[in-house]
Each structure stands twice: as C-alpha cells, then as structure tokens.
C-alpha cells in the first residue's frame, strides 16, 4: 500500500510470509537493482545497498508494516544474493 508513484506497477518477488527464502539475481546487463525491506535492518545485512530517499510504503500485514526502498548498481553477469533477514524478508523490484 502507498507505493511511491515512481515504483507503481513494477514487478516484485513474492515469497511465503514468515518462511526463509533464497533470492539470487544474475543480471544480463548493467543495471540498478531495487529492494524493499523494513527500516532498521542490520546495516551489515544490507551492505552494498543504499537507501532511496522518500520511498516508504506499507506491507499488507495487519499492522501495515513500514517498508523502505534500497538500490544497488550491479554489473552484467554479477551474482547477487538478495538478503532475507526478518519475517518480511525483502522484495526485489524491477520495471518491465
């Protein structure tokens, strides 16, 4: 809910709530990846990811958990493991 207009309509990963997931990405071209995570995650877990200013929205749980967007520039062929550190995990977002 309340997804910033710039990211409205983007695709995203979906995993089973409360279950650990392993998300890996190997981009075909140089790009910027975006992920959504709850604020305050351990910075070590998000090493290499930069907060995107003014891009919060709400998770769809009963408490409407706040989510923040982060970005990371990656090179073609680079193997990236997407951190999954708490009950919400993280969502990987991409434009069509």
């Amino acid at each position: 809910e309340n997804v910033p207009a710039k990211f409205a309509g983007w695709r995203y990963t979906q995993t089973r709530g409360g279950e650990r997931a392993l998300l890996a990405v190997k981009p075909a071209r140089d790009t910027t990846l975006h992920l959504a995570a709850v604020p305050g995650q351990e910075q070590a877990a998000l090493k290499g990811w930069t907060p995107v200013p003014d891009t919060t929205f709400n998770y769809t749980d009963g408490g409407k958990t706040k989510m923040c967007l982060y970005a990371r520039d990656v090179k073609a062929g680079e193997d990236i493991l997407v951190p999954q550190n708490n009950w919400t995990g993280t969502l990987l977002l991409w434009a069509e």
Side-chain angles (χ1 to χ4, degrees):
E1 296 180 353
N2 306 316
V3 174
K6 176 181 176 179
F7 296 95
W10 282 34
R11 298 185 68 127
Y12 58 91
T13 55
Q14 185 175 8
T15 59
R16 298 176 67 91
E19 293 184 15
R20 288 266 186 216
L22 175 63
L23 295 177
V25 175
K26 189 172 194 171
R29 60 177 162 52
D30 292 359
T31 190
T32 299
L33 297 177
H34 290 85
L35 69 76
V38 296
Q41 281 204 29
E42 295 177 30
Q43 288 305 308
L46 295 175
K47 184 178 180 185
W49 296 89
T50 304
V52 179
D54 303 317
T55 57
T56 61
F57 64 98
N58 300 93
Y59 198 73
T60 57
D61 63 321
K64 306 295 182 199
T65 300
K66 182 178 176 181
M67 302 288 285
C68 296
L69 291 175
Y70 298 82
R72 178 177 181 170
D73 293 331
V74 295
K75 300 286 184 193
E78 185 177 356
D79 289 313
I80 302 295
L81 287 177
V82 180
Q84 301 291 305
N85 301 322
N86 57 34
W87 75 270
T88 63
T90 57
L91 306 172
L92 189 65
L93 295 91
W94 65 96
E96 283 290 342

